[in-house]
Amino acid sequence: MTERKPAGMSFESWVDKQVRESEQRGDFAKLPGFGKPLESLEAPYDENWWIKQKLQREGVSVLPPTLALRKEAEDLLAALPGVRTEREVRSMLADINEKIRATLLRPPPGPPLNRKPFDVDAVVAEWHEARKDA
């Protein structure tokens, strides 16, 4: 569609010709989502829809730092049952506690963290208890 409309040809017929030729070449059949219903037709209009779709396709998640740290702490607790050694558990807890303390010492952008550093000995005791049952 980089060519210019010929003089003397109506704009509508020129566009129709371009569309028809593209259909004949199969250009539309190669588009993602061809033959599938349009998503969120009933959703209210959002002027940033294309940005949100791009972020979703790329797997990008933009969370405020405090929410990202909350999620990291929750993921760490969920991953502890699979950890093999106490040294590794203590190392993981020390790393997350350092991040939590640093966040608590400066005013964070976004919502409050609502998290305090883990009691390493208590979590390690729970980890030992969970390993006995498994």
Side-chain angles (χ1 to χ4, degrees), residues 44-101:
Y45 178 72
D46 179 9
E47 63 185 24
N48 294 323
W49 64 269
W50 62 277
I51 297 171
K52 292 176 183 174
Q53 283 185 355
K54 176 70 172 171
L55 290 173
Q56 184 179 20
R57 278 194 310 271
E58 298 294 325
V60 175
S61 175
V62 182
L63 288 176
T66 52
L67 291 180
L69 186 53
R70 274 194 221 175
K71 173 133 178 53
E72 185 178 347
E74 290 170 10
D75 291 347
L76 179 136
L77 289 176
L80 284 183
V83 178
R84 293 181 176 256
T85 66
E86 181 177 329
R87 176 180 279 166
E88 195 175 349
V89 171
R90 287 183 179 277
S91 173
M92 292 168 67
L93 290 169
D95 290 344
I96 195 74
N97 278 347
E98 185 179 323
K99 291 177 185 179
I100 291 172
R101 284 188 189 99

